[in-house]
Amino acid sequence: MNYGARLALAGLGLLLSACQMVGPDYRLPKDAALQRQDLQGALSAKGANVVSAPVPADWWRLYQDPRLDQLVQQALASNTDLRVAAANLARARAQVDEAQAAGGWSGGVKAGVERLQESGEAFLLPEKVPVANVGNLSISTSYQFDLFGTLQRGIEAAQANADATQAAADTARITLVADVVRAYTQVCAANEEREIAEHSLSLQAQSTELTQRLRDAGRGDETQVTRSQTQFKSLRAELPRYEAARQSGLFRLSMLLARPVDQLPAGTSSCAELPHIAQLLPVGDGAALLKRRPDVRQAERQLAAATARIGVATGALYPDISIGATVGTVGILDNLGKPSTNRWGFGPLISWTVPANGARERIHEAEAASQGALAHFDGVVLNAIRETQTGLAQYSAQLQRREALADAEQSAQRAADQTHRFFQAGRASFLADLQATRTYTDMRAQLAAANTQVAMSQIDLFLALGGGWESGRTQASQPIKP
């Protein structure tokens, strides 16, 4: 081996021995909001009619409603948002494969034939070189060393981005489930409240008729009749609102399931009983919540990807080093393959672009992006805590309001029963009996609306807790590591 080859190999060995990873290694910052115990402790379930049990993966099954289970499963199988999320995830995983395929071994084959007039002076010849048919056939291979870890940082960035995309798909799943349960609840609530409203309207019609009879008999005046008619018309004007709410819920389900309304599961449009959970809601604990919510995992993985991109940008300051070999034959077409036309080569190649034209500025840009990703991550964590605290507070308040209305509804029922017995005994008028019954019906309507608000609060709370994505995953999610 000659001196030049030895020197090249020695230099290559020196570079290989000095290799190191560019850019910072990713670690979850100690001052990140996710690491703060005081924030995790703020998610207290005390006094909110909930229990600190693990949130079930299929939380909607707590309703024990087979029709609702069927709606959710059909939505998970055909929803367009989930199809988009699946396509985005496939694209992100392909980008990981692309990053892993970068560097390392590569090869190629080159072949060509041309009618060529070479310049004589290019070969230091005074005379003209004859025109000839020249052929070129070569096979080359090379291996690019990831000497400074630039390619590895690219792989880390692509993998973190794929993890973030998976978390986004999980978010789409839990949002879809919540939307399906909410739309189904809206249909059931609209049917139930419409039934109560129609009963109240019927009672008001009887009251109006009685008021007219009393006026005709000289025991009332026109003002009472007008007031009663106005109340009847006001109640009748409310009926289209319930039908519109019912239709809106059905159309929402149609969109979520990607099928016409008449192809929804049997009984969906006529559901008249709210889905309810006959147990305390399981909400887990604060630390588990923040690691379970997909949007928190997505923001943390975006931070990891931004950190890895600092290394990718830093790698542009260093040379690319590879070693390769070429075997081929070049010459007049008739002489290809003869010893005089054969050629081969082997050796290292160093390619280095002087760090200019914004190379260092791109590093600063990547560092700033990482700081922005950290701020976004903290914001997502704080928002998750806010949503959960708000959901717990609203759910507790709605339960208290429902309990108060239930007590009032029972009182109104007792009053209506007493008044009706008095009427039967001749101690109260028919009008008083109707008014007491109408008051009871009004309280029923308020209680039904309160039950709807409790049901919607339950859905919002489960959505804030981030439950429902686990059963849709083919493999376990990587936990957030400090």
Side-chain angles (χ1 to χ4, degrees):
M1 181 181 295
N2 59 33
Y3 178 76
R6 291 177 180 176
L7 182 61
L9 290 177
L12 180 60
L14 180 62
L15 286 172
L16 290 174
S17 65
C19 63
Q20 59 180 354
M21 292 285 288
V22 291
D25 293 330
Y26 174 68
R27 294 287 186 276
L28 193 61
K30 294 182 179 180
D31 59 347
L34 186 70
Q35 304 277 55
R36 293 177 53 182
Q37 295 298 324
D38 58 335
L39 293 177
Q40 296 178 7
L43 295 173
S44 174
K46 295 180 180 179
N49 296 284
V50 296
V51 61
S52 296
V55 179
D58 298 340
W59 58 266
W60 59 91
R61 297 189 185 278
L62 294 175
Y63 291 102
Q64 298 182 356
D65 188 331
R67 187 185 299 116
L68 178 59
D69 295 342
Q70 188 177 2
L71 286 168
V72 171
Q73 293 305 318
Q74 290 181 3
L76 292 175
S78 58
N79 181 256
T80 55
D81 289 340
L82 292 191
R83 289 166 53 195
V84 172
N88 290 338
L89 183 57
R91 177 173 176 267
R93 288 173 175 170
Q95 290 173 339
V96 175
D97 295 338
E98 178 184 357
Q100 292 174 339
W105 289 105
S106 63
V109 177
K110 181 180 180 181
V113 177
E114 59 182 335
R115 183 74 173 170
L116 183 63
Q117 168 69 71
E118 282 284 9
S119 168
E121 291 191 356
F123 298 96
L124 303 181
L125 297 176
E127 66 273 9
K128 178 181 179 181
V129 177
V131 177
N133 296 323
V134 177
N136 179 9
L137 176 63
S138 64
I139 301 175
S140 62
T141 183
S142 65
Y143 184 89
Q144 181 180 359
F145 296 99
D146 189 19
L147 198 61
F148 306 102
T150 304
L151 298 179
Q152 182 59 38
R153 293 302 190 197
I155 295 174
E156 292 176 4
Q159 184 60 62
N161 180 69
D163 293 341
T165 306
Q166 175 68 78
D170 294 340
T171 299
R173 175 185 170 87
I174 66 173
T175 303
L176 169 64
V177 170
D179 285 346
V180 170
V181 179
R182 188 179 289 110
Y184 178 67
T185 300
Q186 179 178 335
V187 173
C188 298
N191 287 332
E192 181 180 5
E193 293 179 22
R194 179 186 175 90
E195 180 182 355
I196 295 174
E198 289 176 341
H199 182 60
S200 180
L201 181 65
S202 175
L203 292 175
Q204 183 62 39
Q206 296 180 44
S207 176
T208 301
E209 182 181 359
L210 178 60
T211 305
Q212 291 173 339
R213 290 178 181 178
L214 292 174
R215 179 202 58 187
D216 296 341
R219 298 173 57 188
D221 55 35
E222 190 66 27
T223 302
Q224 294 176 338
V225 174
T226 303
R227 186 183 300 114
S228 182
Q229 290 175 340
T230 301
Q231 180 68 16
F232 174 81
K233 294 176 182 179
S234 176
L235 291 175
R236 185 177 60 185
E238 289 294 311
L239 293 182
R241 177 169 65 87
Y242 301 113
E243 180 61 22
R246 170 181 171 275
Q247 291 292 334
S248 176
L250 291 173
F251 294 149
R252 181 69 174 167
L253 286 174
S254 174
M255 184 274 291
L256 294 173
L257 274 65
R259 59 181 58 196
V261 172
D262 57 4
Q263 294 183 16
L264 295 176
T268 300
S269 61
S270 59
C271 166
E273 182 179 355
L274 280 176
H276 64 279
I277 300 176
Q279 67 178 70
L280 296 178
L281 298 191
V283 299
D285 57 67
L289 162 71
L290 296 179
K291 293 182 180 180
R292 180 176 62 246
R293 276 187 53 136
D295 57 340
V296 174
R297 290 187 288 108
Q298 180 182 3
E300 186 272 338
R301 290 289 81 200
Q302 289 173 340
L303 174 59
T307 303
R309 293 189 188 103
I310 298 175
V312 175
T314 305
L317 302 179
Y318 296 88
D320 292 331
I321 299 176
S322 61
I323 187 170
T326 303
V327 177
T329 176
V330 180
I332 296 176
L333 195 59
D334 294 338
N335 297 331
L336 288 183
K338 295 181 180 180
S340 60
T341 61
N342 293 340
R343 62 185 298 271
W344 63 269
F346 171 79
L349 174 64
I350 299 178
S351 174
W352 183 50
T353 302
V354 177
N357 300 324
R360 296 188 183 280
E361 285 70 18
R362 281 187 286 273
I363 297 176
H364 298 324
E365 179 183 350
E367 291 173 342
S370 177
Q371 292 299 316
L374 174 58
H376 173 69
F377 178 39
D378 287 343
V380 170
V381 170
L382 294 173
N383 184 66
I385 295 173
R386 178 197 63 81
E387 287 185 350
T388 306
Q389 290 175 325
T390 301
L392 287 169
Q394 289 183 344
Y395 179 59
S396 179
Q398 294 295 348
L399 283 178
Q400 293 175 9
R401 180 174 182 271
R402 184 180 68 177
E403 291 174 359
L405 286 173
D407 185 53
E409 188 258 356
Q410 292 177 357
S411 297
Q413 184 179 15
R414 288 194 298 269
D417 292 341
Q418 292 172 355
T419 305
H420 185 65
R421 287 195 298 268
F422 289 158
F423 167 71
Q424 290 178 328
R427 298 171 56 187
S429 67
F430 180 58
L431 182 59
D433 185 24
L434 281 178
Q435 289 175 340
T437 304
R438 188 176 63 190
T439 300
Y440 167 56
T441 306
D442 290 342
M443 291 307 305
R444 283 184 59 199
Q446 293 184 44
L447 181 58
N451 286 328
T452 301
Q453 292 173 346
V454 168
M456 293 299 183
S457 294
Q458 288 177 342
I459 299 169
D460 293 340
L461 182 55
F462 276 120
L463 182 60
L465 294 172
W469 57 267
E470 298 91 336
S471 60
R473 293 286 293 273
T474 57
Q475 57 184 1
S477 173
Q478 295 181 355
I480 298 176
K481 298 180 180 180

